[in-house]
Amino acid sequence: MNKVTGIKSVDFKVKASGHGVVNWNGSTTVEAMIDGKRRKLNNHSLPKLRGYSNVETARNSDGEEYERFKLAEDIDFNENPLYISQNCIRYHLFKDEIINWQHPEIHKNVDTILCSMTGLLRGYVIPKNENKRTSPLLITDFTEQCGKGNYEQLGRSGSKEKQKTKSGGEASNAMFSKTTFGDTQYEAFGSINIEQLQFISLSSAYGQEAMEITTNKEGEELAKKIEEYIQSLDYADGNIKAEYSPHWIRKGTIFADGQKGILLNEDAVDALVKQMLSMIENLSFTQAKGYMTVDSLEVDYNDFNSAKQMFRIKDGSDVNNNKSEEYAIYFKQEG
């Protein structure tokens, strides 16, 4: 069996910087030392921290174990680093293409979705007719590298005189608390899967029908629309083609059953890859009184032959920063 050769994925390493927290996790119950005693805080704002739990095991005076809430400042930011979720990153990458996914007629306009970076790179699912496109874009969470978090107790403004609650108890002057960050440095990794990018399935038999078509003419018209869209991109160059056929076969398949679909050629794939990399390299946003901006993007045009070479950019071994060969082609026409 002939192996598929060529660039199989375009992997990348991202370094970014910012200030403050852009991705909060909401209110979390923790404890704080107040007047020498552990007191529960029900309104502590905590950012997203990888692997963090607000509960710990302790022992009472009799040596019996029990669970209690952690102190708010008891966080190891090396073990539980701050991160920006990949969902947040993907939202900001594609937010310029506003799509109302709840629109009652969206299932009738899937061709419009496919003629966009959202449709071709981000992917989608239309529940009403089960049309979907798996995203060729993998991107990890942006993990903070410095670990310089702070615990802040914020009090109400105005008089600090002790007041009483309705029950006669002493009211707390503290309104809420936060775990905050100053300057931040992030690192993330990602990959664009060439097989998933180059082929748009239009067959329901494989569970990957991007859009429902009933005739070959509709498939040819859709291919033309996608071709024209890619030709309009900033990085469009060369002879961009999107070819429809009802008989595409995945190379190496055991049962050579053809399927309807659209295959993007070398120049079309290259335009989409470069457009996506540019969007990542120029990503910058503010959110929740914090901000983040991408500082650098290292790229690897990966022609791996074994699973061990996937994501080799993580350790920097044998990285191809420049495209020196063609992208792999995973599909051929039947016969």
Side-chain angles (χ1 to χ4, degrees):
M1 181 179 68
N2 294 328
K3 289 187 176 181
V4 175
T5 59
I7 298 167
K8 300 179 178 69
S9 68
V10 180
D11 306 330
F12 52 88
K13 178 180 179 179
V14 184
K15 289 190 175 182
S17 60
H19 186 90
V21 176
V22 299
N23 208 187
W24 290 94
N25 207 39
S27 294
T28 305
T29 301
V30 292
E31 292 186 351
M33 297 301 296
I34 301 175
D35 297 330
K37 296 181 180 180
R38 294 179 73 111
R39 301 290 178 88
K40 188 182 295 185
L41 302 176
N42 293 316
N43 56 350
H44 180 77
S45 295
L46 201 67
K48 288 187 180 295
L49 301 173
R50 174 66 61 217
Y52 174 78
S53 172
N54 64 331
V55 177
E56 65 181 357
T57 301
R59 292 182 182 273
N60 60 22
S61 56
D62 297 324
E64 298 172 331
E65 289 188 350
Y66 70 98
E67 288 189 342
R68 67 182 181 186
F69 293 108
K70 289 181 179 178
L71 293 172
E73 63 269 29
D74 187 18
I75 301 174
D76 185 337
F77 294 108
N78 292 316
E79 290 188 7
N80 307 119
L82 172 74
Y83 70 95
I84 304 174
S85 73
Q86 58 96 6
N87 282 335
C88 179
I89 296 297
R90 292 170 80 95
Y91 165 77
H92 285 285
L93 277 172
F94 297 98
K95 72 175 184 178
D96 288 341
E97 295 181 338
I98 300 173
I99 298 175
N100 179 9
W101 297 104
Q102 306 304 317
H103 195 284
E105 300 296 314
I106 193 169
H107 63 289
K108 297 180 181 179
N109 296 280
V110 183
D111 57 335
T112 303
I113 297 172
L114 271 172
C115 294
S116 69
M117 292 298 288
T118 294
L120 295 171
L121 269 299
R122 188 180 188 182
Y124 60 86
V125 176
I126 310 296
K128 191 162 185 175
N129 58 6
E130 297 184 354
N131 287 160
K132 65 178 178 180
R133 175 161 167 80
T134 301
S135 175
L137 175 66
L138 164 68
I139 192 162
T140 68
D141 298 330
F142 278 49
T143 304
E144 210 280 321
Q145 303 296 303
C146 299
K148 297 179 180 179
N150 306 292
Y151 169 71
E152 292 188 25
Q153 186 83 41
L154 293 91
R156 63 178 174 82
S157 61
S159 172
K160 301 301 180 188
E161 295 179 5
K162 294 290 185 181
Q163 297 183 4
K164 301 291 183 181
T165 63
K166 290 182 179 179
S167 61
E170 190 175 276
S172 172
N173 285 327
M175 292 179 65
F176 60 95
S177 57
K178 286 184 175 183
T179 298
T180 61
F181 280 76
D183 291 339
T184 50
Q185 297 286 334
Y186 297 96
E187 186 175 272
F189 297 88
S191 179
I192 301 172
N193 183 296
I194 298 303
E195 179 180 358
Q196 292 174 341
L197 176 61
Q198 73 181 192
F199 187 68
I200 302 165
S201 176
L202 301 174
S203 291
S204 59
Y206 294 85
Q208 292 289 333
E209 184 183 45
M211 176 180 162
E212 183 180 359
I213 62 169
T214 56
T215 66
N216 289 334
K217 184 179 179 181
E218 290 178 351
E220 292 166 359
E221 290 174 348
L222 177 60
K224 186 63 176 177
K225 288 180 181 179
I226 293 173
E227 185 178 295
E228 290 174 350
Y229 168 72
I230 298 174
Q231 289 171 345
S232 72
L233 296 176
D234 296 338
Y235 292 89
D237 190 28
N239 185 30
I240 291 171
K241 292 294 181 182
E243 183 180 1
Y244 169 80
S245 172
H247 304 297
W248 290 114
I249 297 176
R250 207 290 191 180
K251 293 179 180 179
T253 187
I254 296 175
F255 300 104
D257 295 328
Q259 61 172 310
K260 295 181 291 185
I262 297 169
L263 187 70
L264 306 180
N265 74 346
E266 173 78 10
D267 291 332
V269 169
D270 195 48
L272 289 170
V273 166
K274 289 178 178 177
Q275 190 77 22
M276 189 70 254
L277 292 176
S278 176
M279 290 167 63
I280 296 167
E281 189 172 19
N282 291 289
L283 178 64
S284 181
F285 64 89
T286 60
Q287 182 174 284
K289 298 181 180 179
Y291 74 86
M292 187 223 74
T293 184
V294 170
D295 296 323
S296 66
L297 182 72
E298 182 183 358
V299 179
D300 176 24
Y301 289 89
N302 196 338
D303 57 353
F304 62 88
N305 293 313
S306 69
K308 291 182 179 180
Q309 293 177 304
M310 296 174 66
F311 254 121
R312 63 191 181 188
I313 197 169
K314 278 193 169 185
D315 57 25
S317 60
D318 299 322
V319 172
N320 294 325
N321 297 130
N322 298 306
K323 182 175 179 288
S324 58
E325 59 181 313
E326 292 189 344
Y327 296 104
I329 300 175
Y330 288 86
F331 292 85
K332 62 181 181 179
Q333 291 199 49
E334 188 176 20

